[in-house]
Amino acid sequence: MKHWIGRHVVIERLDGGRTTVEGILKGWDPVQEKAILGPDELAIPFRAIHRIMPKTAYPVLNSIGYSVHHTIQFDNAVYFGSCVMVWRGNRLIHPKAVLASHDEETVTLTSGQRLRKDEHHFVVRSLRGNA
C-alpha cells in the first residue's frame, strides 16, 4: 500500500454511511491500524475504509444535466438513483434530491416529500469521471 503515500486520494468510508474524505495520504500506521490523511492529520481506521481511489478517478456530478419530461426518464432516474436538481420557477428547491418513485402527476423523493410534476422542473445530473 506504500504506492498511495504522498498521492491526493479519495477514501470511501463504511462507518456512518458511505461517506468520502479526500486529501494527501501521509502514511499508514500498522500498529494502530490507521491511515493518516492530510493536511489535517485525519486518522481513518483500516476497518472503516471501503476503498481508496486517486482523486482524478473519483466521479463527480456534472454541473449541467438534462431536463426530465418523459415517463421513461423518470423511471431511469428512480432505477439508477440519479442525483436530481428540483426547481420551482427560477428557485432551486433541492440541489441533490433522489427520486424514490413517481406516477403520472407526482414525484416522491427519498425524503418522503411529494412534488407535483406540473409545478416543478426536474434536472438529472450525470456523473463525470471513472465510475
Side-chain angles (χ1 to χ4, degrees):
M1 301 305 279
K2 290 183 180 187
H3 66 281
W4 291 107
I5 295 176
R7 294 179 65 186
H8 195 150
V9 297
V10 175
I11 297 178
E12 259 187 38
R13 297 179 63 151
L14 290 172
D15 53 344
R18 222 178 243 178
T19 59
T20 59
V21 290
E22 69 175 85
I24 306 291
L25 187 62
K26 299 263 183 163
W28 301 98
D29 185 347
V31 175
Q32 294 185 6
E33 297 184 341
K34 294 181 179 189
I36 310 300
L37 194 64
D40 300 330
E41 303 295 322
L42 179 66
I44 303 170
F46 289 164
R47 70 184 182 297
I49 297 174
H50 174 64
R51 69 177 166 173
I52 301 174
M53 299 168 286
K55 172 68 174 147
T56 57
Y58 190 73
V60 295
L61 289 172
N62 280 317
S63 57
I64 300 171
Y66 64 88
S67 295
V68 182
H69 298 288
H70 305 289
T71 300
I72 190 74
Q73 292 174 311
F74 282 102
D75 289 343
N76 286 337
V78 170
Y79 180 74
F80 291 109
S82 303
C83 188
V84 179
M85 292 188 298
V86 181
W87 295 81
R88 185 172 188 157
N90 62 354
R91 214 173 96 221
L92 182 62
I93 305 296
H94 296 286
K96 292 183 178 180
V98 177
L99 308 184
S101 64
H102 75 98
D103 58 28
E104 290 297 318
E105 298 174 357
T106 63
V107 171
T108 304
L109 306 180
T110 54
S111 65
Q113 185 177 9
R114 292 185 67 159
L115 305 171
R116 293 189 48 83
K117 288 182 181 179
D118 59 351
E119 296 175 355
H120 297 84
H121 184 75
F122 302 90
V123 179
V124 170
R125 297 175 64 195
S126 60
L127 289 174
R128 178 179 66 223
N130 301 339

